[in-house]
Amino acid sequence: DPQGELYPVFPATSEALWRLDGRTKVMGILNVTPDSFSDGGQYARDWRRAVEAALQLVEDGADVIDIGGESTRPGADDVEIARELERTIPVIEALRKQSPVPISIDTRKARVASAAVEAGADIVNDVSGGEHDPAMLPTVQELQVQACFRAATCRPCLALGSRKSP
């Protein structure tokens, strides 16, 4: 800092360091799924509206935007890789062109993570803790990006009242 003091930082992206100064960092969630619990699926049909929403989240104070193209709610159906890419990649590419905000891809699939990072995402957020796709951990290591791995308490297809079995 200007006074020459040392302080802890976190490498949020390859170009941006977050100063760990006690201020909580805010993640803006942008679901581009038709069955989104948070927005009713309004951004699944129009990636331009999704980008506008992401930019509004940044204006409102979000430090990072987390973009997801597959619902992980209990009972949700799996989404094919191609469909998840269709939903997320245009949003990531357009947002990256318009803002330096760190972008996180919320996916359980290594191929989606790789394509998202290539499109401009900085962080991989895998709610399965790397268990859904055995290629996820090696892929993230190869990509050399930050990652957030959480262990889901239940897999979507194993939820009570699910329509399908594993």
Side-chain angles (χ1 to χ4, degrees):
D1 82 1
Q3 288 91 21
E5 293 180 42
L6 297 177
Y7 52 86
V9 296
F10 174 79
T13 72
S14 61
E15 299 176 13
L17 297 175
W18 281 343
R19 184 175 182 164
L20 300 178
D21 56 5
R23 185 181 79 78
T24 299
K25 304 301 182 204
V26 176
M27 177 180 275
I29 306 298
L30 184 68
N31 294 317
V32 288
T33 59
D35 60 346
S36 172
F37 67 91
S38 64
D39 60 45
Q42 64 178 323
Y43 305 122
R45 293 176 287 285
D46 184 353
W47 64 264
R48 289 169 193 85
R49 285 190 63 209
V51 173
E52 290 172 8
L55 293 170
Q56 185 63 53
L57 287 168
V58 173
E59 189 174 314
D60 291 343
D63 297 293
V64 60
I65 301 297
D66 185 59
I67 300 171
E70 176 182 48
S71 177
T72 53
R73 68 171 167 70
D77 291 331
D78 283 339
V79 173
E80 296 291 328
I81 289 173
R83 186 70 183 121
E84 192 172 346
L85 291 170
E86 285 175 18
R87 292 174 177 174
T88 58
I89 299 304
V91 178
I92 293 167
E93 289 173 339
L95 181 57
R96 176 51 61 229
K97 288 177 184 172
Q98 296 181 48
S99 175
V101 68
I103 299 171
S104 169
I105 179 67
D106 181 353
T107 186
R108 301 177 302 147
K109 301 176 185 92
R111 284 182 44 206
V112 173
S114 184
V117 169
E118 185 175 318
D122 306 289
I123 302 165
V124 174
N125 176 14
D126 179 355
V127 299
S128 79
E131 292 183 2
H132 179 78
D133 184 344
M136 182 62 89
L137 296 176
T139 297
V140 169
Q141 183 177 16
E142 182 179 309
L143 292 169
Q144 293 291 296
V145 295
Q146 297 296 336
C148 175
F149 290 103
R150 297 177 291 164
T153 55
C154 68
R155 286 179 256 159
C157 64
L158 295 179
L160 183 62
S162 175
R163 296 178 300 242
K164 58 188 220 178
S165 59

